[in-house]
mmCIF file of all heavy atoms in Angstrom:
data_model
loop_
_atom_site.group_PDB
_atom_site.id
_atom_site.type_symbol
_atom_site.label_atom_id
_atom_site.label_comp_id
_atom_site.label_asym_id
_atom_site.label_seq_id
_atom_site.Cartn_x
_atom_site.Cartn_y
_atom_site.Cartn_z
ATOM 1 N N ASP A 1 333.613 215.876 55.686
ATOM 2 C CA ASP A 1 332.855 215.881 56.885
ATOM 3 C C ASP A 1 331.687 216.892 56.745
ATOM 4 O O ASP A 1 331.937 218.055 56.377
ATOM 5 C CB ASP A 1 333.706 216.258 58.057
ATOM 6 C CG ASP A 1 334.787 215.224 58.362
ATOM 7 O OD1 ASP A 1 334.559 214.026 58.014
ATOM 8 O OD2 ASP A 1 335.853 215.640 58.868
ATOM 9 N N VAL A 2 330.466 216.454 57.047
ATOM 10 C CA VAL A 2 329.284 217.295 56.884
ATOM 11 C C VAL A 2 328.316 217.106 58.004
ATOM 12 O O VAL A 2 328.344 216.161 58.746
ATOM 13 C CB VAL A 2 328.569 216.936 55.496
ATOM 14 C CG1 VAL A 2 329.402 217.288 54.349
ATOM 15 C CG2 VAL A 2 328.186 215.470 55.494
ATOM 16 N N GLN A 3 327.401 218.111 58.094
ATOM 17 C CA GLN A 3 326.178 217.945 58.853
ATOM 18 C C GLN A 3 325.099 217.769 57.782
ATOM 19 O O GLN A 3 324.909 218.634 56.911
ATOM 20 C CB GLN A 3 325.891 219.166 59.686
ATOM 21 C CG GLN A 3 326.757 219.334 60.891
ATOM 22 C CD GLN A 3 326.288 220.565 61.751
ATOM 23 O OE1 GLN A 3 325.189 221.080 61.534
ATOM 24 N NE2 GLN A 3 327.061 220.903 62.751
ATOM 25 N N LEU A 4 324.371 216.641 57.860
ATOM 26 C CA LEU A 4 323.256 216.435 56.955
ATOM 27 C C LEU A 4 321.940 216.889 57.720
ATOM 28 O O LEU A 4 321.735 216.370 58.786
ATOM 29 C CB LEU A 4 323.142 214.982 56.539
ATOM 30 C CG LEU A 4 324.406 214.370 55.889
ATOM 31 C CD1 LEU A 4 324.205 212.913 55.565
ATOM 32 C CD2 LEU A 4 324.799 215.147 54.670
ATOM 33 N N LEU A 5 321.249 217.835 57.162
ATOM 34 C CA LEU A 5 320.130 218.458 57.825
ATOM 35 C C LEU A 5 318.848 217.975 57.132
ATOM 36 O O LEU A 5 318.662 218.230 55.923
ATOM 37 C CB LEU A 5 320.219 219.959 57.750
ATOM 38 C CG LEU A 5 321.588 220.543 58.179
ATOM 39 C CD1 LEU A 5 321.653 221.997 57.903
ATOM 40 C CD2 LEU A 5 321.878 220.253 59.637
ATOM 41 N N PHE A 6 317.972 217.312 57.893
ATOM 42 C CA PHE A 6 316.705 216.795 57.352
ATOM 43 C C PHE A 6 315.524 217.456 58.068
ATOM 44 O O PHE A 6 315.450 217.520 59.300
ATOM 45 C CB PHE A 6 316.616 215.298 57.567
ATOM 46 C CG PHE A 6 317.666 214.513 56.779
ATOM 47 C CD1 PHE A 6 318.850 214.161 57.373
ATOM 48 C CD2 PHE A 6 317.404 214.108 55.475
ATOM 49 C CE1 PHE A 6 319.795 213.404 56.674
ATOM 50 C CE2 PHE A 6 318.342 213.371 54.767
ATOM 51 C CZ PHE A 6 319.504 213.004 55.404
ATOM 52 N N ARG A 7 314.554 217.926 57.301
ATOM 53 C CA ARG A 7 313.249 218.261 57.854
ATOM 54 C C ARG A 7 312.311 217.091 57.484
ATOM 55 O O ARG A 7 312.257 216.717 56.303
ATOM 56 C CB ARG A 7 312.712 219.580 57.280
ATOM 57 C CG ARG A 7 313.610 220.755 57.429
ATOM 58 C CD ARG A 7 312.931 221.979 56.910
ATOM 59 N NE ARG A 7 313.858 222.922 56.288
ATOM 60 C CZ ARG A 7 313.565 224.038 55.697
ATOM 61 N NH1 ARG A 7 312.268 224.388 55.612
ATOM 62 N NH2 ARG A 7 314.473 224.836 55.187
ATOM 63 N N THR A 8 311.644 216.579 58.458
ATOM 64 C CA THR A 8 310.688 215.460 58.181
ATOM 65 C C THR A 8 309.324 215.844 58.663
ATOM 66 O O THR A 8 309.188 216.648 59.592
ATOM 67 C CB THR A 8 311.168 214.162 58.837
ATOM 68 O OG1 THR A 8 311.378 214.376 60.227
ATOM 69 C CG2 THR A 8 312.456 213.660 58.178
ATOM 70 N N GLU A 9 308.306 215.261 58.035
ATOM 71 C CA GLU A 9 306.966 215.544 58.468
ATOM 72 C C GLU A 9 306.154 214.289 58.453
ATOM 73 O O GLU A 9 306.301 213.422 57.539
ATOM 74 C CB GLU A 9 306.331 216.574 57.504
ATOM 75 C CG GLU A 9 304.992 217.095 57.928
ATOM 76 C CD GLU A 9 304.548 218.269 57.120
ATOM 77 O OE1 GLU A 9 305.365 218.854 56.388
ATOM 78 O OE2 GLU A 9 303.345 218.636 57.242
ATOM 79 N N LYS A 10 305.235 214.115 59.391
ATOM 80 C CA LYS A 10 304.397 212.937 59.463
ATOM 81 C C LYS A 10 303.152 213.231 58.590
ATOM 82 O O LYS A 10 302.372 214.170 58.874
ATOM 83 C CB LYS A 10 303.962 212.612 60.901
ATOM 84 C CG LYS A 10 303.157 211.383 61.000
ATOM 85 C CD LYS A 10 302.695 211.120 62.452
ATOM 86 C CE LYS A 10 303.738 210.364 63.231
ATOM 87 N NZ LYS A 10 303.225 209.893 64.545
ATOM 88 N N ILE A 11 302.984 212.433 57.563
ATOM 89 C CA ILE A 11 301.872 212.575 56.629
ATOM 90 C C ILE A 11 301.052 211.269 56.589
ATOM 91 O O ILE A 11 301.670 210.240 56.297
ATOM 92 C CB ILE A 11 302.390 212.950 55.212
ATOM 93 C CG1 ILE A 11 303.263 214.213 55.248
ATOM 94 C CG2 ILE A 11 301.252 213.082 54.230
ATOM 95 C CD1 ILE A 11 304.003 214.496 53.982
ATOM 96 N N ASN A 12 299.814 211.352 56.917
ATOM 97 C CA ASN A 12 299.008 210.120 56.954
ATOM 98 C C ASN A 12 299.667 209.049 57.857
ATOM 99 O O ASN A 12 299.740 207.917 57.521
ATOM 100 C CB ASN A 12 298.728 209.570 55.574
ATOM 101 C CG ASN A 12 297.912 210.509 54.710
ATOM 102 O OD1 ASN A 12 297.048 211.235 55.246
ATOM 103 N ND2 ASN A 12 298.183 210.541 53.432
ATOM 104 N N ASP A 13 300.103 209.556 59.040
ATOM 105 C CA ASP A 13 300.643 208.700 60.102
ATOM 106 C C ASP A 13 301.970 208.056 59.667
ATOM 107 O O ASP A 13 302.364 207.015 60.220
ATOM 108 C CB ASP A 13 299.668 207.635 60.498
ATOM 109 C CG ASP A 13 299.875 207.174 61.966
ATOM 110 O OD1 ASP A 13 300.289 208.019 62.765
ATOM 111 O OD2 ASP A 13 299.755 205.986 62.228
ATOM 112 N N LYS A 14 302.701 208.632 58.691
ATOM 113 C CA LYS A 14 303.972 208.063 58.260
ATOM 114 C C LYS A 14 304.942 209.227 57.987
ATOM 115 O O LYS A 14 304.600 210.253 57.407
ATOM 116 C CB LYS A 14 303.777 207.267 56.948
ATOM 117 C CG LYS A 14 304.976 206.436 56.567
ATOM 118 C CD LYS A 14 304.618 205.527 55.386
ATOM 119 C CE LYS A 14 305.808 204.649 54.992
ATOM 120 N NZ LYS A 14 305.464 203.737 53.849
ATOM 121 N N TRP A 15 306.212 209.103 58.482
ATOM 122 C CA TRP A 15 307.242 210.135 58.306
ATOM 123 C C TRP A 15 307.873 210.143 56.922
ATOM 124 O O TRP A 15 308.133 209.085 56.387
ATOM 125 C CB TRP A 15 308.298 209.988 59.372
ATOM 126 C CG TRP A 15 307.813 210.323 60.747
ATOM 127 C CD1 TRP A 15 307.370 209.432 61.706
ATOM 128 C CD2 TRP A 15 307.725 211.622 61.309
ATOM 129 N NE1 TRP A 15 306.976 210.127 62.834
ATOM 130 C CE2 TRP A 15 307.205 211.469 62.617
ATOM 131 C CE3 TRP A 15 308.049 212.912 60.898
ATOM 132 C CZ2 TRP A 15 307.009 212.561 63.475
ATOM 133 C CZ3 TRP A 15 307.811 213.999 61.700
ATOM 134 C CH2 TRP A 15 307.318 213.823 63.001
ATOM 135 N N PHE A 16 308.035 211.347 56.406
ATOM 136 C CA PHE A 16 308.664 211.510 55.075
ATOM 137 C C PHE A 16 309.655 212.677 55.194
ATOM 138 O O PHE A 16 309.485 213.557 55.979
ATOM 139 C CB PHE A 16 307.590 211.821 53.989
ATOM 140 C CG PHE A 16 306.716 210.690 53.639
ATOM 141 C CD1 PHE A 16 305.500 210.545 54.309
ATOM 142 C CD2 PHE A 16 307.050 209.810 52.687
ATOM 143 C CE1 PHE A 16 304.640 209.502 54.000
ATOM 144 C CE2 PHE A 16 306.165 208.706 52.345
ATOM 145 C CZ PHE A 16 304.959 208.579 53.037
ATOM 146 N N ILE A 17 310.662 212.664 54.269
ATOM 147 C CA ILE A 17 311.613 213.757 54.202
ATOM 148 C C ILE A 17 310.973 214.870 53.369
ATOM 149 O O ILE A 17 310.568 214.673 52.237
ATOM 150 C CB ILE A 17 312.924 213.292 53.535
ATOM 151 C CG1 ILE A 17 313.575 212.234 54.354
ATOM 152 C CG2 ILE A 17 313.850 214.487 53.364
ATOM 153 C CD1 ILE A 17 314.777 211.516 53.679
ATOM 154 N N LYS A 18 310.937 216.089 53.981
ATOM 155 C CA LYS A 18 310.407 217.246 53.283
ATOM 156 C C LYS A 18 311.540 218.107 52.688
ATOM 157 O O LYS A 18 311.377 218.790 51.679
ATOM 158 C CB LYS A 18 309.615 218.111 54.224
ATOM 159 C CG LYS A 18 308.306 217.459 54.674
ATOM 160 C CD LYS A 18 307.229 217.623 53.677
ATOM 161 C CE LYS A 18 306.722 219.054 53.605
ATOM 162 N NZ LYS A 18 305.536 219.179 52.670
ATOM 163 N N ASN A 19 312.707 218.098 53.372
ATOM 164 C CA ASN A 19 313.832 218.920 52.935
ATOM 165 C C ASN A 19 315.115 218.283 53.395
ATOM 166 O O ASN A 19 315.205 217.754 54.483
ATOM 167 C CB ASN A 19 313.678 220.328 53.514
ATOM 168 C CG ASN A 19 314.743 221.281 53.017
ATOM 169 O OD1 ASN A 19 315.835 221.339 53.499
ATOM 170 N ND2 ASN A 19 314.371 222.114 52.023
ATOM 171 N N PHE A 20 316.103 218.370 52.487
ATOM 172 C CA PHE A 20 317.458 217.819 52.814
ATOM 173 C C PHE A 20 318.475 218.840 52.327
ATOM 174 O O PHE A 20 318.496 219.201 51.153
ATOM 175 C CB PHE A 20 317.579 216.476 52.110
ATOM 176 C CG PHE A 20 318.993 215.888 52.114
ATOM 177 C CD1 PHE A 20 319.846 216.047 53.204
ATOM 178 C CD2 PHE A 20 319.453 215.116 51.027
ATOM 179 C CE1 PHE A 20 321.113 215.494 53.234
ATOM 180 C CE2 PHE A 20 320.756 214.622 51.034
ATOM 181 C CZ PHE A 20 321.549 214.777 52.120
ATOM 182 N N GLU A 21 319.406 219.215 53.243
ATOM 183 C CA GLU A 21 320.510 220.125 52.918
ATOM 184 C C GLU A 21 321.655 219.816 53.763
ATOM 185 O O GLU A 21 321.606 218.977 54.631
ATOM 186 C CB GLU A 21 320.005 221.592 53.037
ATOM 187 C CG GLU A 21 319.416 221.911 54.351
ATOM 188 C CD GLU A 21 318.561 223.201 54.345
ATOM 189 O OE1 GLU A 21 318.920 224.149 53.597
ATOM 190 O OE2 GLU A 21 317.588 223.264 55.096
ATOM 191 N N SER A 22 322.786 220.540 53.540
ATOM 192 C CA SER A 22 324.020 220.193 54.235
ATOM 193 C C SER A 22 324.757 221.407 54.737
ATOM 194 O O SER A 22 324.601 222.512 54.121
ATOM 195 C CB SER A 22 324.977 219.403 53.305
ATOM 196 O OG SER A 22 324.365 218.176 52.831
ATOM 197 N N ILE A 23 325.549 221.222 55.725
ATOM 198 C CA ILE A 23 326.575 222.210 56.155
ATOM 199 C C ILE A 23 327.899 221.527 56.053
ATOM 200 O O ILE A 23 328.083 220.401 56.586
ATOM 201 C CB ILE A 23 326.307 222.714 57.616
ATOM 202 C CG1 ILE A 23 324.983 223.506 57.693
ATOM 203 C CG2 ILE A 23 327.491 223.522 58.097
ATOM 204 C CD1 ILE A 23 324.626 223.872 59.104
ATOM 205 N N TYR A 24 328.816 222.152 55.378
ATOM 206 C CA TYR A 24 330.140 221.549 55.111
ATOM 207 C C TYR A 24 331.141 221.999 56.159
ATOM 208 O O TYR A 24 331.195 223.196 56.485
ATOM 209 C CB TYR A 24 330.591 221.923 53.674
ATOM 210 C CG TYR A 24 329.683 221.199 52.656
ATOM 211 C CD1 TYR A 24 328.475 221.786 52.288
ATOM 212 C CD2 TYR A 24 330.006 219.963 52.144
ATOM 213 C CE1 TYR A 24 327.656 221.156 51.395
ATOM 214 C CE2 TYR A 24 329.157 219.319 51.256
ATOM 215 C CZ TYR A 24 328.007 219.900 50.896
ATOM 216 O OH TYR A 24 327.103 219.291 50.013
ATOM 217 N N LEU A 25 331.907 221.041 56.676
ATOM 218 C CA LEU A 25 332.791 221.284 57.815
ATOM 219 C C LEU A 25 334.245 221.314 57.334
ATOM 220 O O LEU A 25 334.970 222.324 57.514
ATOM 221 C CB LEU A 25 332.618 220.211 58.868
ATOM 222 C CG LEU A 25 331.168 219.991 59.303
ATOM 223 C CD1 LEU A 25 331.075 218.846 60.327
ATOM 224 C CD2 LEU A 25 330.582 221.265 59.864
ATOM 225 N N GLN A 26 334.724 220.244 56.738
ATOM 226 C CA GLN A 26 336.155 220.119 56.289
ATOM 227 C C GLN A 26 336.244 218.892 55.400
ATOM 228 O O GLN A 26 335.397 218.041 55.416
ATOM 229 C CB GLN A 26 337.076 220.018 57.466
ATOM 230 C CG GLN A 26 336.872 218.813 58.305
ATOM 231 C CD GLN A 26 337.780 218.734 59.545
ATOM 232 O OE1 GLN A 26 338.529 219.713 59.819
ATOM 233 N NE2 GLN A 26 337.736 217.638 60.256
ATOM 234 N N ASP A 27 337.340 218.875 54.623
ATOM 235 C CA ASP A 27 337.568 217.670 53.815
ATOM 236 C C ASP A 27 339.051 217.368 53.664
ATOM 237 O O ASP A 27 339.910 218.199 54.066
ATOM 238 C CB ASP A 27 336.875 217.748 52.464
ATOM 239 C CG ASP A 27 337.305 218.955 51.631
ATOM 240 O OD1 ASP A 27 338.236 219.675 52.027
ATOM 241 O OD2 ASP A 27 336.686 219.187 50.571
#
């Protein structure tokens, strides 16, 4: 079980992922 954390940015009127990381909860 995780939190997937995304930073996105609109570049030339289109959204892209700038950063992707995670917080781990349990397994």
Side-chain angles (χ1 to χ4, degrees):
D1 296 332
V2 293
Q3 288 185 11
L4 304 180
L5 311 172
F6 296 93
R7 302 183 214 178
T8 54
E9 189 169 348
K10 184 182 274 190
I11 303 170
N12 296 326
D13 207 36
K14 191 173 183 179
W15 288 95
F16 292 91
I17 298 170
K18 292 279 288 187
N19 186 278
F20 170 35
E21 52 199 328
S22 301
I23 293 175
Y24 292 83
L25 308 177
Q26 62 184 5
D27 58 7

